[in-house]
Amino acid sequence: MERVKISEQDPKKRAKNFDEVCLGYTEEEAKRESERCLKCKVPNCRKGCPVSINIPGFITEIQNGNYKKAYEIISEDSNLPAICGRVCPQETQCEGKCVKGFKGDAISIGKLERFVADYAREHEIDVEAKIEKNGIKIAVIGSGPAGLTCAGDLAKKGYDVTIFEALHKAGGVLTYGIPEFRLPKDTVVNSEVEKIKKLGVKFEYNVIIGKTITIDQLIQDENFKAVFIASGAGNPRFMGIPGEDLNNVFSANEFLTRFNLMKASSDEYDTPIYVGKKVAVIGGGNVAMDAARTALRLGAETTIVYRRSEAELPARQEEIHHAKEEGINFKLLTNPTKILSDENGNVVGMTCIKMELGEPDSSGRRRPVEVPNSEFDLDVDMVIMALGTTQVDVIAQTTPGLETNKWKCIVVDDVTAQTSRKEIFAGGDVTSGASTVILAMEAGKKAAKGIDEYIKTLSK
């Protein structure tokens, strides 16, 4: 009932390099793991997948040794399988629905998807798409997982798609957010982007919609018939405590973006990135783990500070496990109240207070409350805030008639992803707040279908 164990770098070795932690299945290991699949008549695993990949179908082809067919089956529903196989929370989605998991280990669906995608890349396997161009122009704002997915699906339907990206590289959070040791850029992200380009999708870089050009200008002057907004949630949250404006206090967004886009993981680049000797990362999600593990690899003694207990940590169990193996410290049931400085405004410590769990809040998690007279100082010289993000609302501000809610998220129809303006669609973090890669992909697929249906109504 146990899954085939996957090889990983030794924790002590990987804590000092930026190579990928998980080494992936070999062919023999993938076949052995695939043979554990029961081929359920009602595949709940597929129901648990936000993009509805035919999981039993591609696993059967792995059993048969037909990896090309397995890749073709995955590609019917996913444009980014090498990425999903690495960063999706399978344990709460497809694998969480696997019947094998009720009495033993669920099938390692994510690792098998990764194996197939990597095999296809390494053996230069392409899925031939028969595309009949219709000449209709569609604009996609943002080249993250939602934008890439929507653009890919629309290109397959024959649309003339252009992605407008604010930065100089495509991929969004895949490129600037997730570290190299979890998601290699050159071998994985760039190759997935190239697949989208091969479908005929064009990319315009260094374009900030709402500043460089507005959506209305795209529609009125550039003749785009529909627009999909997938600009993500890029504004970092802070706690609002004294000392947040000190030197050496960063948001995780800034820290990881600077690290990833300036290629600090490569010895070939002399990247001027600062890291303290003792770093505190505030938060317990995947981004917090990414920031902490990156700081560790840059030489810092690193501590995660989180106000709830380990049971409430929102990060994937795999990431928590890897962080502990690598030597990350965890200060749980702890909340910062003040960041301390010297006379030059540099961080020299952080005052914290101990917490305990009270009654559940609106999310269903027990609310943390302060323990009286439990303050203490933590010895740190750098603080990274990893508390989530909010939307950058420059697009809404420069697009008349675009409805947003109190959280500044763009309001969309749940089925079609259409906004209050019929020719504009939106999806991903810009409509939901910060979420996962696979849910952004689900939003991109929904929007592609909605746009296609909208365009068809114009010709009636």
Side-chain angles (χ1 to χ4, degrees), residues 366-412:
R366 294 173 64 190
R367 184 186 300 274
V369 294
E370 295 181 353
V371 176
N373 304 314
S374 64
E375 291 89 352
F376 67 96
D377 288 345
L378 193 63
D379 182 18
V380 297
D381 59 2
M382 178 175 167
V383 177
I384 299 174
M385 296 287 182
L387 304 169
T389 54
T390 60
Q391 288 58 253
V392 181
D393 59 353
V394 63
I395 290 178
Q397 291 175 347
T398 58
T399 309
L402 196 62
E403 182 183 355
T404 59
N405 60 23
K406 63 180 180 180
W407 297 286
K408 298 182 180 179
C409 293
I410 298 173
V411 176
V412 296

Side-chain angles (χ1 to χ4, degrees), residues 161-436:
V161 185
T162 301
I163 294 179
F164 294 91
E165 168 56 47
L167 295 176
H168 64 284
K169 293 197 72 174
V173 68
L174 306 172
T175 295
Y176 64 74
I178 302 174
E180 191 79 12
F181 54 82
R182 274 221 296 145
L183 186 62
K185 305 301 176 278
D186 289 341
T187 55
V188 177
V189 177
N190 291 351
S191 66
E192 298 284 60
V193 170
E194 286 302 313
K195 287 194 311 183
I196 302 298
K197 290 181 179 179
K198 286 181 180 179
L199 293 172
V201 176
K202 296 183 284 292
F203 286 73
E204 294 283 347
Y205 299 106
N206 303 307
V207 178
I208 301 176
I209 302 298
K211 292 189 175 182
T212 310
I213 191 171
T214 66
I215 287 179
D216 283 325
Q217 286 175 318
L218 290 176
I219 295 171
Q220 295 165 11
D221 300 339
E222 303 294 335
N223 199 33
F224 286 97
K225 298 302 182 184
V227 177
F228 175 55
I229 303 171
S231 50
N235 278 347
R237 294 181 186 272
F238 287 87
M239 294 185 68
I241 61 175
E244 284 186 339
D245 57 348
L246 293 171
N247 298 330
N248 306 338
V249 178
F250 299 87
S251 71
N253 292 49
E254 178 184 359
F255 179 68
L256 291 171
T257 299
R258 189 177 298 205
F259 175 86
N260 283 317
L261 289 184
M262 297 178 74
K263 297 184 179 293
S265 62
S266 174
D267 293 334
E268 297 178 6
Y269 288 79
D270 185 17
T271 301
I273 185 168
Y274 174 82
V275 67
K277 294 180 179 179
K278 294 185 176 181
V279 175
V281 178
I282 316 303
N286 289 323
V287 175
M289 300 301 151
D290 287 345
R293 295 171 68 196
T294 298
L296 178 79
R297 283 161 169 75
L298 290 171
E301 178 185 332
T302 310
T303 302
I304 292 278
V305 179
Y306 182 61
R307 62 180 184 157
R308 289 184 165 94
S309 72
E310 182 169 348
E312 286 78 33
L313 280 168
R316 293 184 66 191
Q317 287 300 310
E318 183 178 58
E319 304 311 317
I320 298 168
H321 171 69
H322 284 160
K324 287 182 176 181
E325 280 190 327
E326 292 165 6
I328 301 291
N329 303 309
F330 282 75
K331 279 281 183 185
L332 303 173
L333 290 170
T334 301
N335 207 35
T337 59
K338 183 179 181 180
I339 302 174
L340 308 174
S341 70
D342 61 16
E343 64 276 7
N344 297 317
N346 297 312
V347 173
V348 295
M350 187 168 67
T351 300
C352 301
I353 190 167
K354 293 182 179 179
M355 311 291 285
E356 60 185 7
L357 296 180
E359 296 300 315
D361 60 16
S362 58
S363 69
R365 295 185 298 174
R366 294 173 64 190
R367 184 186 300 274
V369 294
E370 295 181 353
V371 176
N373 304 314
S374 64
E375 291 89 352
F376 67 96
D377 288 345
L378 193 63
D379 182 18
V380 297
D381 59 2
M382 178 175 167
V383 177
I384 299 174
M385 296 287 182
L387 304 169
T389 54
T390 60
Q391 288 58 253
V392 181
D393 59 353
V394 63
I395 290 178
Q397 291 175 347
T398 58
T399 309
L402 196 62
E403 182 183 355
T404 59
N405 60 23
K406 63 180 180 180
W407 297 286
K408 298 182 180 179
C409 293
I410 298 173
V411 176
V412 296
D413 182 271
D414 288 340
V415 176
T416 65
Q418 199 166 31
T419 70
S420 52
R421 287 185 52 176
K422 61 183 181 180
E423 73 277 28
I424 301 175
F425 297 72
D429 292 358
V430 76
T431 63
S432 64
S435 189
T436 62

